[in-house]
Amino acid sequence: MDGVTSELNDSPFRSKPSARDTAPQFVLPLVVRIERGAPPARTDALETAARAVLVMLSDERSLGEGEWAQAMRDWQDARIRKVVRRARGAEWRRAEALPGITVTGKAAEVRVFPPVPLDGWPKELAKLQVSGTDLDDPEPPVEADRSAPVLWLNPDVEMSAGKAMAQAGHGAQLGWWELSDEERAAWRDAGFPLAVRTADPARWRELTSIGLPLVRDAGFTEIAPGSCTVVADHPALR
């Protein structure tokens, strides 16, 4: 669930031990709505999760003296962890009643919450399942518009939809950190357009060699530590 922007020794996404590991650990909870018989498409869910992270990062309550600002600072001072859980029916309604932001895609709905201690989840969220987010795309996604940001997934790493949603969120966050204030404002004002796509092998090799933000997983779940999972390809960073 963790990655790295660059070769900075104290990166919050770095898989190697660092001073961030001794800080109190927090997690950014995301809940995806998956109703029986009407699950969202996988790509829609990934893109919506990535936008949800950006919405949380840019929300006025997360900045300055906002009500979520201290939690956001505490979270970013340690490892940048994100966990995606699923909800339906009454579970989703209880999740919606907690402070947070719901972001919608074409059909997907993802609610993001301010960071909580790693072992201090609200009971309404702690009850939700992490497993069961294996979503599919009914039709292959259309080719990404490269005039907008694209989060490219590693074609050689298999991930559940929930894991991939967290990784897409990491990629979006890395791209956000690399932008200037003006570039961030322009992205926010446009509604955070982005695409999530799996790169073909040749394209992946190119993307990982040109200095774009790159997520490396810390290996807490599903995949090996240090695995490269996502490249954040924002036009302003090319």
Side-chain angles (χ1 to χ4, degrees):
M1 295 188 301
D2 291 11
V4 62
T5 60
S6 64
E7 295 308 313
L8 296 175
N9 289 332
D10 197 31
S11 167
F13 288 106
R14 196 171 183 82
S15 57
K16 294 181 180 178
S18 77
R20 292 180 177 274
D21 294 302
T22 64
Q25 299 295 303
F26 290 78
V27 60
L28 187 78
L30 297 104
V31 175
V32 56
R33 184 177 186 179
I34 303 180
E35 297 290 348
R36 280 195 177 90
R42 180 184 174 98
T43 296
D44 188 16
L46 268 59
E47 293 173 347
T48 305
R51 288 205 316 278
V53 171
L54 294 166
V55 169
M56 175 59 75
L57 287 168
S58 62
D59 191 278
E60 62 182 10
R61 290 166 288 185
S62 298
L63 306 172
E65 300 304 316
E67 61 184 287
W68 299 338
Q70 186 60 55
M72 293 292 286
R73 286 192 290 269
D74 290 342
W75 172 57
Q76 293 178 88
D77 283 345
R79 290 288 185 180
I80 307 298
R81 299 175 184 240
K82 302 177 182 73
V83 171
V84 177
R85 300 192 175 196
R86 60 180 172 85
R88 63 169 63 96
E91 296 173 333
W92 176 256
R93 292 190 291 274
R94 286 192 290 269
E96 278 202 306
L98 298 176
I101 307 169
T102 297
V103 177
T104 58
K106 296 181 178 69
E109 293 180 74
V110 175
R111 189 162 179 84
V112 59
F113 304 86
V116 298
L118 196 59
D119 57 356
W121 285 64
K123 64 180 185 301
E124 295 89 348
L125 302 183
K127 295 177 181 178
L128 302 178
Q129 296 296 311
V130 177
S131 61
T133 53
D134 293 324
L135 305 172
D136 297 311
D137 282 313
E139 299 179 0
V142 299
E143 186 174 348
D145 176 5
R146 296 201 63 231
S147 67
V150 184
L151 304 173
W152 295 101
L153 303 178
N154 186 340
D156 297 322
V157 175
E158 292 188 10
M159 296 181 281
S160 67
K163 177 75 171 180
M165 289 169 70
Q167 297 296 306
H170 288 336
Q173 187 167 0
L174 298 191
W176 174 259
W177 281 345
E178 293 290 322
L179 298 176
S180 68
D181 289 343
E182 293 77 12
E183 290 162 346
R184 290 179 180 180
W187 199 10
R188 180 197 63 219
D189 293 346
F192 293 120
L194 59 85
V196 178
R197 298 290 187 272
T198 300
D200 64 55
R203 179 68 178 143
W204 179 255
R205 289 192 293 272
E206 177 187 355
L207 288 163
T208 56
S209 67
I210 56 177
L212 291 170
L214 174 63
V215 179
R216 294 182 188 271
D217 192 73
F220 294 122
T221 61
E222 292 195 24
I223 60 179
S227 298
C228 300
T229 56
V230 180
V231 168
D233 183 14
H234 191 290
L237 303 178
R238 292 172 192 154

